[in-house]
Amino acid sequence: MYIGFFLHSVDKKNRIFIPSKFRTKNSHYIISRGFERSLYLFDKNTWLRVLEKFESLSWSDKSQQRAFKRILLAGATENKIDWQGRLLLPMHLLEYSGIKKNTAIIGMGDRIEIWDAKRWKDYSSSVAEKAFKSLSDKLDV
């Protein structure tokens, strides 16, 4: 399970440091587009479960489902964390996410999200805080 928050910079070779508590034994990951222009980082086992969910979707009359699957899978790449704990961020995903230098790395339970640090700060201080408050009131947390 991935939980926590870290700030790290992108190096000159477009790599970021993945905190040790987020690394699995085999260090193989799938990185893809996420929502709100974030990036999703899945370990290989979780990614296989995501793909299984796609297989259960209907192929007929579900144009939004097909479009979602196409966008997610077309932009996804398999990557390995190097011996120093760094992960290469592909250029097309850097462009999609708007990440230039500083990143926010967020544990989301079954996946890791990677955000441009400023975009995360703006999002978390506005949209996320309102949603957190609203849901906490409903859930009585």
Side-chain angles (χ1 to χ4, degrees), residues 60-75:
S60 61
D61 296 328
K62 305 287 184 176
S63 63
Q64 286 186 329
Q65 291 177 3
R66 287 192 308 271
F68 179 83
K69 185 176 179 180
R70 287 177 183 132
I71 294 297
L72 183 72
L73 297 179

Side-chain angles (χ1 to χ4, degrees), residues 3-8 17 19-22 103-107 113:
I3 59 174
F5 168 81
F6 302 89
L7 292 172
H8 287 286
F17 179 77
S20 61
K21 70 182 273 182
F22 283 175
T103 64
I105 302 170
I106 303 157
E113 288 187 357

Side-chain angles (χ1 to χ4, degrees), residues 27-108:
S27 295
H28 277 88
Y29 292 86
I30 308 299
I31 186 167
S32 70
R33 291 173 62 155
F35 297 127
E36 290 87 22
R37 293 185 59 190
S38 67
L39 302 179
Y40 287 174
L41 187 63
F42 297 94
D43 63 50
K44 198 159 189 174
N45 291 331
T46 303
W47 180 253
L48 292 174
R49 288 195 301 275
V50 169
L51 292 180
E52 285 175 13
K53 289 179 184 178
F54 283 137
E55 295 309 314
S56 68
L57 296 176
S58 170
W59 284 51
S60 61
D61 296 328
K62 305 287 184 176
S63 63
Q64 286 186 329
Q65 291 177 3
R66 287 192 308 271
F68 179 83
K69 185 176 179 180
R70 287 177 183 132
I71 294 297
L72 183 72
L73 297 179
T77 60
E78 186 172 356
N79 218 325
K80 189 171 182 171
I81 293 177
D82 71 15
W83 64 276
Q84 291 183 316
R86 298 171 302 187
L87 179 79
L88 177 67
L89 298 177
M91 187 54 70
H92 69 282
L93 293 177
L94 285 170
E95 290 170 356
Y96 165 76
S97 64
I99 293 172
K100 302 250 186 294
K101 183 68 179 161
N102 297 313
T103 64
I105 302 170
I106 303 157
M108 290 290 294

